[in-house]
Amino acid sequence: MSIEETIKAARGQKPADLLIRNARVVDVVAAEIYAADVAVHGGRVIGFGSYESHEVTDLEGRYLCPGFIDGHLHIESTMLTPPEFARAVLPHGTAAVVTDPHEIANVLGVEGIDYMLNASSGLPVTVYVMLPSCVPATALETSGAVLSADDLEPLLNRDRVLGIAEVMNYPGVLAADPEVLKKIKIARGRPVDGHAPGLSGKDLCAYIAAGIHSDHECTTAAEASEKLRLGMHIMVREGSTEKNLKELVSIVTPENSRRFMLVTDDRHPEDLIAEGHMDFLVRRAIEEGISPVMAVQMASINAAGYFGITGTGAVAPGYRADFSVLADLEKVRVSRVFKGGRLVAEGGEALPFPPPSSGSAGRDTIIVDDRSLTHLPVKAEGARMKVIGIVPGQIVTEKLVVEPRVEGGMAVSDPERDILKLVVVERHHASGNVGLGFVKGMGLKGGAIASSVAHDSHNIIAAGVADADIRAAVIEIERLGGGAVVIDGGRVLAALPLPVAGLMSERPVGEVAAAAREVIGAARNMGCALDDPLITLSFLALPVVPELKLTDKGLVDVGEFRLVGLFE
């Protein structure tokens, strides 16, 4: 559509493509709500008022919001491929997402990024990409690939690539590691996202001064306030495990609200079905006292402005006609969704769309040296043992020190004290690496649970009571080509296959959620007390979030940023 044609349509000299009548426009620019008819032409808003048009739709007083934008997530964490993810979130008003594909990049490197770009091309949910800066996240684990600044720089020229994703290696930034800094420098003015849980004072100042602009790891109002004062954009996260919205929105005011974005980061398929996506976050923000217009701003124009996505995130002339139609603004009930002026979802269902061709990338990525599975016994080498303590609702953990249960000179699981053996098995190169530790808070009374989703290198992680069940669970993950399982007495109680890079399924969200429910239900039947043991388990291997984590190389003290012994 030429500018000349757009001008003619906007002036009423030719019919518009679409006229949306009787809308209550949620104006995120002027921060007000007003009644208007909205004209659309060539996929963009061209004006307000009376227009001749080829098509007319009447909203009958419903609210017309900009399409919602998730400013930070990992699509792989939904366990859905991009087309199935789009099908799941589109009815909830999501028009665009900014994804960091570092999960699949840690498995497949550039091939994984290519897969995500190809698999999301032309979807009715626009998928923007931030290039993963930490593949691997640290040298304390084994990933399937290593991406340097030289590997990433050519990708910045790809369509829909916006900048550099979360810089998790904040110790590398503070130490002025040349390779870490080079990844920041190649952005050349584009956004560079942060990941600095608990960083404060002069170290935080140095981290920001290096060229990092946002953070999604704030868990307290005080932490968010400090980062806000120092110039950061604050991503308010409400995921399936990381629930920080209630705490963080307490510091949002009309004066500072434009520096805040609502993001999901990691969201489980069952939660997408039960609660929604960005509509759920907007609803939660309103419930916590944020005005509806401000909440919609935090889920639309704020993200568009931060990422430099021009012409998106508002209902105004020249802006893309991506709309969420709400029957109820307070309860954020989405009734229809438009993308580029075209109806793409209605009545809670996405309208059919053809999936893009993404090839066969990501198959056969589970490669385990089965001989390593004979190395699961842990020799008791002291009277005091370090244990990872789960913090419900958070991805941070506690550093616990306990007296181990010892049998035959070996430290073993102690389900009566809720202490289980935790194992991480390297699955990319069949190196034979096995990390051994213990975790408190899973609640299993027997059997084992395992998954190939283990942030960020995605080796196989398993927790259980008996070594035999842990071994059987790892072997079953290998047989499935990736996924999650619950084993008891060597018998598979439930399984969730994730054959795409060991992270995602090509099945619809309902089927994936049902399989996940079966795995979670089987774990609960075995005594697990966690709301979502799969999500919790997946973060126990992430060595950039305090305090103790386990990788295929061993136990990591995140505060000291080094491998440590299991026994004191």
Side-chain angles (χ1 to χ4, degrees):
M1 181 67 63
S2 69
I3 295 177
E4 290 80 6
E5 290 295 306
T6 299
I7 291 172
K8 286 181 180 179
R11 298 187 68 194
Q13 295 173 342
K14 61 173 295 183
D17 292 334
L18 171 69
L19 183 65
I20 299 176
R21 299 189 61 197
N22 297 316
R24 281 192 275 185
V25 175
V26 179
D27 186 342
V28 294
V29 179
E32 60 181 349
I33 299 172
Y34 56 86
D37 297 343
V38 181
V40 174
H41 195 71
R44 295 188 177 271
V45 176
I46 57 167
F48 300 92
S50 178
Y51 278 85
E52 290 187 24
S53 64
H54 295 294
E55 182 182 352
V56 177
T57 187
D58 195 330
L59 295 193
E60 300 177 332
R62 294 180 178 86
Y63 296 90
L64 189 68
C65 299
F68 299 138
I69 302 172
D70 189 339
H72 176 76
L73 87 159
H74 309 285
I75 289 177
E76 306 97 308
S77 292
T78 68
M79 298 187 246
L80 305 170
T81 56
E84 292 307 322
F85 168 78
R87 223 180 301 277
V89 302
L90 194 59
H92 297 284
T94 301
V97 299
V98 182
T99 187
D100 171 9
H102 74 205
E103 319 295 359
I104 196 169
N106 268 283
V107 178
L108 293 168
V110 171
E111 181 186 359
I113 299 172
D114 285 339
Y115 168 83
M116 295 301 282
L117 284 167
N118 294 335
S120 61
S121 177
L123 294 176
V125 174
T126 305
V127 176
Y128 297 100
V129 168
M130 295 287 279
L131 297 178
S133 66
C134 297
V135 178
T138 73
L140 304 172
E141 58 198 315
T142 303
S143 63
V146 176
L147 292 182
S148 67
D150 291 338
D151 295 321
L152 296 174
E153 190 166 18
L155 300 176
L156 284 165
N157 298 319
R158 297 282 297 273
D159 184 41
R160 294 183 283 120
V161 173
L162 301 179
I164 301 298
E166 52 182 308
V167 181
M168 293 180 284
N169 189 359
Y170 61 84
V173 175
L174 300 180
D177 179 281
E179 178 61 23
V180 174
L181 297 186
K182 189 175 181 181
K183 290 177 180 177
I184 297 172
K185 290 175 183 176
I186 63 172
R188 295 187 181 89
R190 296 192 188 198
V192 179
D193 285 343
H195 172 116
L199 202 61
S200 183
K202 290 181 179 179
D203 283 351
L204 177 58
C205 289
Y207 183 75
I208 296 169
I212 296 167
H213 309 126
S214 70
D215 189 89
H216 63 275
E217 288 291 337
C218 297
T219 58
T220 68
E223 181 181 1
S225 293
E226 181 183 11
K227 289 174 177 175
L228 179 66
R229 291 190 192 105
L230 294 177
M232 279 188 147
H233 293 256
I234 307 301
M235 294 177 170
V236 178
R237 176 175 59 187
E238 189 80 357
S240 288
T241 295
E242 321 96 319
K243 300 181 183 297
N244 310 126
L245 185 147
K246 179 180 177 68
E247 174 78 9
L248 299 188
V249 298
S250 65
I251 68 167
V252 177
T253 68
E255 292 78 16
N256 66 22
S257 65
R258 295 300 292 272
R259 302 288 287 192
F260 290 83
M261 290 169 268
L262 298 177
V263 306
T264 62
D265 198 3
D266 298 288
R267 195 124 176 91
H268 195 276
E270 188 170 6
D271 291 335
L272 290 176
I273 293 174
E275 297 174 340
H277 186 228
M278 293 304 293
D279 57 334
F280 173 69
L281 272 66
V282 174
R283 186 180 311 120
R284 285 286 297 113
I286 293 171
E287 288 171 354
E288 294 300 330
I290 300 297
S291 74
V293 173
M294 195 184 299
V296 173
Q297 285 175 330
M298 293 166 65
S300 57
I301 196 168
N302 291 7
Y306 167 70
F307 287 105
I309 309 171
T310 58
T312 300
V315 183
Y319 279 74
R320 186 176 173 85
D322 297 347
F323 306 133
S324 298
V325 178
L326 306 186
D328 187 309
L329 184 58
E330 295 283 340
K331 296 181 181 178
V332 197
R333 286 177 26 225
V334 179
S335 60
R336 277 182 263 180
V337 182
F338 290 83
K339 183 71 174 177
R342 182 173 60 90
L343 185 68
V344 292
E346 187 172 24
E349 297 289 336
L351 300 186
F353 61 85
S357 175
S358 55
S360 59
R363 302 289 180 169
D364 303 319
T365 62
I366 308 293
I367 308 169
V368 174
D369 181 352
D370 290 342
R371 293 171 298 179
S372 66
L373 301 181
T374 63
H375 302 154
L376 301 187
V378 176
K379 185 177 180 180
E381 297 179 337
R384 305 285 287 169
M385 183 176 71
K386 301 182 187 75
V387 171
I388 299 170
I390 291 172
V391 179
Q394 301 295 338
I395 63 174
V396 297
T397 61
E398 294 179 311
K399 184 194 302 182
L400 306 177
V401 180
V402 306
E403 181 180 348
R405 177 182 175 185
V406 180
E407 294 180 357
M410 298 294 174
V412 297
S413 296
D414 188 352
E416 290 184 3
R417 288 191 294 161
D418 194 11
I419 296 173
L420 302 178
K421 182 173 285 186
L422 187 67
V423 173
V424 176
V425 179
E426 193 278 317
R427 62 97 157 183
H428 303 291
H429 312 290
S431 67
N433 286 356
V434 178
L436 300 172
F438 289 84
V439 61
K440 182 177 177 62
M442 290 291 295
L444 287 180
K445 302 302 181 185
I449 182 171
S451 174
S452 59
V453 178
H455 303 288
D456 278 328
S457 289
H458 298 292
N459 291 301
I460 299 173
I461 189 166
V465 174
D467 287 357
D469 281 336
I470 293 173
R471 187 178 301 112
V474 173
I475 291 172
E476 180 64 12
I477 293 289
E478 185 180 13
R479 189 191 71 79
L480 290 173
V485 298
V486 174
I487 297 276
D488 185 36
R491 184 169 62 93
V492 178
L493 301 183
L496 165 62
L498 299 174
V500 181
L503 303 173
M504 294 176 285
S505 169
E506 293 175 318
R507 306 303 301 166
V509 63
E511 294 182 22
V512 177
R517 277 197 301 273
E518 289 183 7
V519 171
I520 293 169
R524 286 178 180 160
N525 289 339
M526 300 295 292
C528 182
L530 298 170
D531 289 338
D532 193 333
L534 292 180
I535 289 282
T536 300
L537 190 67
S538 73
F539 282 106
L540 296 181
L542 181 59
V544 294
V545 175
E547 293 189 22
L548 283 183
K549 296 295 167 74
L550 184 70
T551 76
D552 67 299
K553 294 185 178 181
L555 191 65
V556 177
D557 187 311
V558 180
E560 298 179 12
F561 207 61
R562 67 183 181 92
L563 294 166
V564 296
L566 187 57
F567 295 91
E568 288 193 344

